[in-house]
Amino acid sequence: MTGFTIRPARTTDVIEIERLIQPLVDRRILLGKDRVVFYEAVQEFRVAVDADGRLVGCGALHVIWEDLGEVRTLAVAEDQLGRGIGSALVERLEVDAVALGLRRLFCLTFETAFFGRHGFAPMGEDPLEPHVYHEIVRSSDEGVAEFLDLARVKPNTLGNTRMLKWLDGRDR
């Protein structure tokens, strides 16, 4: 990990996070969000900053349930791809997930090879026990709807793959 550091995001990073993800939003790889959503979730984000202080990557960990979290809004500046920034962000989010007591991480992605290298695998149809499903289906969070594969998010996520990783190394 040379030439950049990973740190918790600050409110002063929000505009740069938006700038960083905008090309991915424009290409429909990431969903756009209102600025207020980034401020509300700033504590979930980790950012990669280069030696000059430029924000060159970001990613967020969102808790969905007692043992389940989502890796969200993972992005690396196009001129910085291939330097290990995305991998470092995923690894940091996994450390954060374990510290919170999570055992599983979810992501919704077009980058299946990248996440596959990090131990994520395509999800099956029934990732939750029925009683947990009935609790979290009430959430208004779009990431939860994506995890549950609810019909209301289909137009936004067409073509993405739902992937899951067990942090204790098991498959299911």
Side-chain angles (χ1 to χ4, degrees), residues 5-171:
T5 57
I6 307 290
R7 65 164 171 77
R10 304 175 185 131
T11 56
T12 54
D13 295 323
V14 166
I15 291 172
E16 285 301 302
I17 290 170
E18 285 182 313
R19 177 199 56 77
L20 181 69
I21 70 164
Q22 191 58 51
L24 300 171
V25 171
D26 293 344
R27 294 189 343 241
R28 298 184 52 102
I29 293 170
L30 291 178
L31 294 177
K33 298 177 183 172
D34 293 324
R35 185 171 292 169
V36 68
V37 173
F38 289 110
Y39 282 115
E40 289 172 342
V42 73
Q43 71 279 0
E44 298 179 355
F45 276 85
R46 299 296 176 256
V47 295
V49 180
D50 72 9
D52 296 324
R54 181 173 74 116
L55 195 144
V56 293
C58 67
L61 172 65
H62 181 75
V63 174
I64 294 176
W65 194 250
E66 176 183 14
D67 69 333
L68 176 66
E70 179 186 4
V71 174
R72 290 184 169 180
T73 320
L74 185 68
V76 174
E78 288 191 37
D79 67 337
Q80 299 294 309
L81 293 173
R83 294 190 54 222
I85 295 169
S87 292
L89 284 161
V90 169
E91 290 165 12
R92 172 62 184 270
L93 295 173
E94 287 181 13
V95 168
D96 293 347
V98 169
L100 286 169
L102 302 179
R103 294 183 312 129
R104 300 177 289 173
L105 283 179
F106 159 75
C107 69
L108 182 71
T109 186
F110 289 105
E111 300 295 335
T112 56
F114 171 83
F115 280 99
R117 287 192 302 273
H118 289 279
F120 287 77
M123 283 177 45
E125 292 301 311
D126 297 317
L128 296 172
E129 302 80 15
H131 74 281
V132 175
Y133 177 92
H134 290 296
E135 287 290 328
I136 72 171
V137 76
R138 298 176 189 161
S139 175
S140 61
D141 185 273
E142 289 298 305
V144 173
E146 291 163 346
F147 175 76
L148 296 176
D149 202 24
L150 300 179
R152 69 181 168 90
V153 295
K154 292 293 185 197
N156 295 325
T157 60
L158 190 60
N160 286 4
T161 300
R162 298 181 318 142
M163 299 182 81
L164 190 69
K165 178 178 182 175
W166 285 88
L167 297 174
D168 58 10
R170 63 181 164 151
D171 291 332

